[in-house]
Amino acid sequence: MRREWRQRRSTSRSSTPLSLDDARLHGPDPRSERDAVIAATVLVRGMMVVTRNVADFTPMSVPIFNP
């Protein structure tokens, strides 16, 4: 039963728009995986990144606010 749950979970996660955006952002450029997940979440959810670390997110073309 646990194996089935894990398999369903991994299958459903890999087919979400977030996973696709994350893969595109992390792709050939060796960016931080965490930054790529944050940027993908921002793009899918229509949000904005609030950070002082603007340099890491600027190439990902996400809305950024530097407080």
Side-chain angles (χ1 to χ4, degrees):
M1 186 162 151
R2 189 175 198 156
R3 185 181 300 161
E4 292 172 11
W5 176 83
R6 199 175 326 146
Q7 186 175 13
R8 280 197 317 263
R9 177 113 170 115
S10 66
T11 303
S12 65
R13 279 185 15 198
S14 66
S15 61
T16 64
L18 179 59
S19 297
L20 296 174
D21 283 339
D22 179 31
R24 180 179 53 80
L25 292 169
H26 195 56
D29 198 1
R31 290 190 179 102
S32 163
E33 188 173 324
R34 291 181 199 146
D35 290 349
V37 170
I38 292 168
T41 303
V42 165
L43 290 173
V44 169
R45 303 281 184 193
M47 302 168 103
M48 178 180 290
V49 176
V50 179
T51 183
R52 294 189 189 277
N53 186 12
V54 176
D56 284 354
F57 290 96
T58 300
M60 296 188 213
S61 301
V62 294
I64 303 169
F65 176 72
N66 183 352

